[in-house]
Amino acid sequence: MDQSDRGQEPLETARALAETASAVIRAVTDRRDMSFTTASTLARLEREGPARLTALAVAEGVAQPSMTQLVQRLERRGLVRRVDDPADGRVTLVAVTDAGRELLAERRRLRDGRLADLLAALPAEEQQALGEAVRTALPLVRRMLEGAAGPRHLPARHDTGSTR
């Protein structure tokens, strides 16, 4: 393999990984009752704890007024609540409620069930090959992203509940 071929390998792997992630997300995400950004925000609060509205907007890549509206909708549904910041009483944080956690858990169960159904349609040897590939890839991807800058990262336990 010459030098130019080796230079393309990371780009080809990146494209394949992005295409794989996108295809899986599209196939198993139920967006009927909740947008991806909504589910991602709720899952971020579950994973990382209470956060400022401005920090949520930056982390999710949306404008602050959009995040304000999203949080208000989540509050009306009882999925988040506002709490005082213990470090600064003048600041209000957004926190996920037990109802929000329960909704995320149910969405994950449904997502996992849909994905398991898709996997069950594969021949046994393909199921095994895919399982081995995923068990190999996931720790590598997590390690690769650990120090990556930016608001989005791969969670240690599970994804966003819509999808991550």
Side-chain angles (χ1 to χ4, degrees), residues 36-143:
F36 181 82
T37 301
T38 301
S40 178
T41 300
L42 200 55
R44 180 179 302 281
L45 290 169
E46 178 188 46
R47 189 175 57 250
E48 298 175 5
R52 290 180 181 216
L53 200 98
T54 53
L56 281 175
V58 169
E60 294 299 327
V62 299
Q64 187 171 339
S66 296
M67 183 56 69
T68 299
Q69 291 176 355
L70 182 123
V71 166
Q72 288 171 345
R73 286 191 303 271
L74 290 170
E75 278 182 301
R76 284 193 296 274
R77 291 178 65 183
L79 303 175
V80 301
R81 63 187 170 90
R82 296 184 194 243
V83 297
D84 291 333
D85 184 341
D88 184 347
R90 301 168 296 172
V91 175
T92 300
L93 304 175
V94 179
V96 67
T97 63
D98 288 342
R101 284 185 188 85
E102 289 171 18
L103 177 66
L104 286 172
E106 178 60 20
R107 290 175 61 84
R108 288 182 185 110
R109 279 190 294 277
L110 291 171
R111 177 207 58 210
D112 293 350
R114 285 191 297 271
L115 194 50
D117 289 345
L118 291 170
L119 287 168
L122 293 174
E125 62 274 1
E126 290 180 3
Q127 289 181 39
Q128 183 177 355
L130 187 54
E132 289 172 9
V134 169
R135 284 187 290 280
T136 299
L138 186 57
L140 297 174
V141 169
R142 283 189 175 136
R143 192 175 74 225

Side-chain angles (χ1 to χ4, degrees), residues 2-63:
D2 68 23
Q3 195 69 358
S4 63
D5 288 342
R6 275 184 260 146
Q8 289 288 47
E9 277 185 37
L11 185 56
E12 290 172 10
T13 300
R15 285 181 182 143
L17 188 58
E19 185 178 341
T20 301
S22 181
V24 169
I25 289 168
R26 281 192 313 273
V28 300
T29 300
D30 182 358
R31 293 183 190 90
R32 288 177 292 177
D33 65 336
M34 186 177 289
S35 72
F36 181 82
T37 301
T38 301
S40 178
T41 300
L42 200 55
R44 180 179 302 281
L45 290 169
E46 178 188 46
R47 189 175 57 250
E48 298 175 5
R52 290 180 181 216
L53 200 98
T54 53
L56 281 175
V58 169
E60 294 299 327
V62 299

